[in-house]
Amino acid sequence: MTSKYQAGLFDLDGVIVDTAKYHYLAWRNLAHKLGFEFTEQDNQRLKGVSRMRSLEILLEVGNLALDEAQKTALAKQKNEEYVSYIKQLDRSELLPGAEACLQQLREKGIKIALGSASKNAPLILKNLEIEHLFDAVIDGNKVAKAKPDPEVFLLGAQELGVPAMDCVVFEDAEAGLQAARTAGMLAVGIGQAQDLPSADIVFPGLYAVQLDDLFQF
Ligand code: B16
Ligand code: MG
């Protein structure tokens, strides 16, 4: 692999912090209120997926068909519960190696962007006290098309002023890795190789990434 990459684009949930457990709590409680079970295995289907699409998957599991107004109200209800959890989030919940990775890249002059589906990303970055490590923040408030559409990462590259082909994406969701590939970026999977067929390379966590093999230091 040539060391030509000039920017790193980072997914949030599953790469920098494990907020999936709080999403799960809130979705499971909503399912219970609606009268059905929502398992951890069902929750795997929500990884990297937008809030509305997540609700649609949950309703599929419960075999419920609701109209748009009802769906909007339920998504709001779920988000209020989720936000009550992430308001309590602190630096102890940073995933191993995440902050060190961002800091090291910054020190070496590599540009950094967030590329997350979450509309709550600003609050999460603030509570983790890592906002200052990003040159650009692209989140669910800024993009219209969900991953696997490459919009979130293309916008990140554009805000950083770096050509897409010089960007590396770190992602834990298969849809996000597909988005990275479609954008013409290097797709680094965070997790287990068997779950991430679209990754160019996979590491178990940011702690395991050899940054000087990837970037132009
Ligand atoms: P919100 P990521 C994603 O974050 C989560 O993985 C996904 O489960 C969630 O539904 C989505 O954000 C939207 O989150 O409801 O906070 O807007 O992995 O793209 O950082
Ligand atoms: Mg993710």
Side-chain angles (χ1 to χ4, degrees):
M1 197 176 296
T2 51
S3 300
K4 66 178 180 104
Y5 297 99
Q6 296 171 31
L9 308 187
F10 290 80
D11 177 53
L12 183 59
D13 177 23
V15 173
I16 291 175
V17 62
D18 176 22
T19 39
K21 60 187 177 204
Y22 300 122
H23 281 295
Y24 177 53
L25 272 179
W27 284 128
R28 193 188 55 184
N29 286 339
L30 181 68
H32 287 173
K33 281 181 208 156
L34 295 170
F36 61 91
E37 264 315 317
F38 189 71
T39 66
E40 284 202 52
Q41 204 187 334
D42 295 326
N43 193 59
Q44 289 300 314
R45 294 175 61 193
L46 308 189
K47 209 186 250 189
V49 170
S50 74
R51 191 181 307 165
M52 253 321 169
R53 182 63 198 132
S54 297
L55 175 64
E56 284 163 7
I57 293 171
L58 180 126
L59 294 174
E60 261 170 51
V61 170
N63 214 4
L64 285 181
L66 301 178
D67 65 29
E68 283 311 306
Q70 288 169 314
K71 286 200 263 182
T72 304
L74 291 179
K76 182 167 177 278
Q77 203 176 311
K78 179 268 170 182
N79 190 54
E80 282 167 2
E81 181 174 338
Y82 174 67
V83 169
S84 77
Y85 300 134
I86 58 167
K87 272 186 182 162
Q88 313 292 323
L89 204 68
D90 66 28
R91 295 172 50 73
S92 67
E93 304 219 38
L94 278 160
L95 286 172
E99 188 172 25
C101 170
L102 297 170
Q103 265 162 352
Q104 198 187 340
L105 291 179
R106 233 184 143 69
E107 276 161 23
K108 302 286 186 182
I110 301 295
K111 296 269 184 218
I112 301 173
L114 189 81
S116 166
S118 177
K119 294 186 174 177
N120 294 299
L123 173 62
I124 297 170
L125 296 183
K126 179 171 176 286
N127 286 356
L128 297 174
E129 297 175 26
I130 55 170
E131 297 154 293
H132 60 288
L133 297 174
F134 293 86
D135 299 293
V137 172
I138 314 298
D139 61 22
N141 303 296
K142 284 197 184 169
V143 293
K145 295 179 220 143
K147 301 165 188 175
D149 190 284
E151 183 185 17
V152 64
F153 296 132
L154 290 173
L155 204 55
Q158 191 185 318
E159 280 206 19
L160 295 179
V162 173
M165 62 181 291
D166 294 333
C167 294
V168 181
V169 169
F170 297 90
E171 244 297 342
D172 70 316
E174 174 59 14
L177 293 164
Q178 288 169 2
R181 283 199 161 213
T182 306
M185 301 175 179
L186 185 76
V188 176
I190 298 296
Q192 296 192 321
Q194 74 262 26
D195 302 328
L196 303 171
S198 296
D200 291 304
I201 182 168
V202 177
F203 297 99
L206 288 179
Y207 66 87
V209 181
Q210 288 297 314
L211 293 173
D212 45 9
D213 285 349
L214 287 176
F215 291 94
Q216 198 174 55
F217 278 2

